Amino acid sequence: GNSVTQMEGPVTLSEEAFLTINCTYTATGYPSLFWYVQYPGEGLQLLLKATKADDKGSNKGFEATYRKETTSFHLEKGSVQVSDSAVYFCALRGTQGGSEKLVFGKGTKLTVNP
Amino acid sequence: NAGVTQTPKFQVLKTGQSMTLQCAQDMNHEYMSWYRQDPGMGLRLIHYSVGAGITDQGEVPNGYNVSRSTTEDFPLRLLSAAPSQTSVYFCASSLDGLSGNTIYFGEGSWLTVV
């Protein structure tokens, strides 16, 4: 079945540091890939997405490129801020019948210190 | 804009008690779903609905019931609460499928079963 594997957290960075959160997936066909962010005490919000190979999703300075050859969708940001402290979830949506539901990774907690 | 509204936000139950988590959306979305979020587990789908009068089981449905009598409401019922149901519950809705390009999450309901 479809699955998503995210790097284990928590991740602690200083402000303005470079961020990478690794995400790899297993799926048949050509899934769509998503990054969601959950700020403290809130629900999940879509951060960015990519629907086909080599697509780059971007939002709020975050980027992720859909790499089919490595089945990856790593999240990156060049300079993190304290306000980026949150839990980040990688997710995929399959394309096969009956597998159209979102499958989430376990989440990676990011803390950015001033 | 209310979006997806969940109540209550916090609840403590005794083992064996029953309760209902309420979820309402005002966006006329056909698709609604309930997830639970546990540490190190990501989000797991409990039940979902593709329209009024239609519900189906997700990944972890045991111990939960749902109904969808209207497009707006999708309550989640715990008939006999167990400590294993201690979790954070998220309701979500979408216009274009269970894992549509834009899925809206509620702010979550924190449930503790003692």
Side-chain angles (χ1 to χ4, degrees):
Chain A
N2 296 338
S3 66
V4 173
T5 303
Q6 278 182 248
M7 65 182 287
E8 295 286 333
V11 174
T12 302
L13 296 173
S14 297
E15 209 164 21
E16 299 183 3
F18 184 85
L19 168 71
T20 299
I21 301 178
N22 289 340
C23 172
T24 57
Y25 68 89
T26 301
T28 54
Y30 300 90
S32 295
L33 302 172
F34 305 84
W35 276 101
Y36 284 85
V37 58
Q38 182 183 27
Y39 298 105
E42 299 184 10
L44 278 72
Q45 305 172 25
L46 179 65
L47 180 61
L48 53 84
K49 66 182 181 188
T51 57
K52 61 182 186 296
D54 299 325
D55 267 2
K56 177 185 285 187
S58 62
N59 186 25
K60 299 182 180 180
F62 291 89
E63 293 183 341
T65 301
Y66 187 163
R67 302 285 189 201
K68 188 162 179 65
E69 64 275 15
T70 55
T71 61
S72 65
F73 193 54
H74 305 320
L75 183 69
E76 297 181 336
K77 186 173 185 180
S79 177
V80 293
Q81 305 300 312
V82 173
S83 57
D84 293 326
S85 297
V87 180
Y88 293 82
F89 292 92
C90 186
L92 74 80
R93 179 188 67 200
T95 57
Q96 302 301 314
S99 61
E100 296 173 350
K101 307 175 189 63
L102 274 174
V103 174
F104 288 88
K106 295 182 178 181
T108 303
K109 183 176 182 179
L110 169 67
T111 300
V112 180
N113 295 320
Chain B
N1 293 330
V4 179
T5 303
Q6 287 182 235
T7 57
K9 194 171 181 70
F10 299 99
Q11 182 72 50
V12 178
L13 285 179
K14 293 182 179 179
T15 297
Q17 284 185 316
S18 62
M19 78 157 296
T20 299
L21 298 176
Q22 302 290 346
C23 176
Q25 52 90 9
D26 61 357
M27 298 172 282
N28 203 33
H29 287 171
E30 291 293 330
Y31 298 88
M32 296 187 72
S33 48
W34 276 102
Y35 294 86
R36 59 178 289 173
Q37 182 183 26
D38 301 295
M41 299 289 290
L43 273 73
R44 292 181 292 170
L45 182 65
I46 304 172
H47 284 285
Y48 65 96
S49 169
V50 299
I54 306 170
T55 63
D56 206 347
Q57 296 181 350
E59 181 185 355
V60 287
N62 292 340
Y64 307 94
N65 280 351
V66 292
S67 60
R68 186 90 182 273
S69 56
T70 67
T71 299
E72 293 78 19
D73 300 301
F74 191 45
L76 179 72
R77 297 185 184 85
L78 285 71
L79 298 179
S80 178
S84 61
Q85 294 178 303
T86 294
S87 187
V88 183
Y89 291 84
F90 288 97
C91 180
S93 76
S94 172
L95 183 63
D96 55 346
L98 276 179
S99 52
N101 288 322
T102 304
I103 181 169
Y104 294 84
F105 285 87
E107 294 185 347
S109 296
W110 275 253
L111 175 65
T112 301
V113 182
V114 298

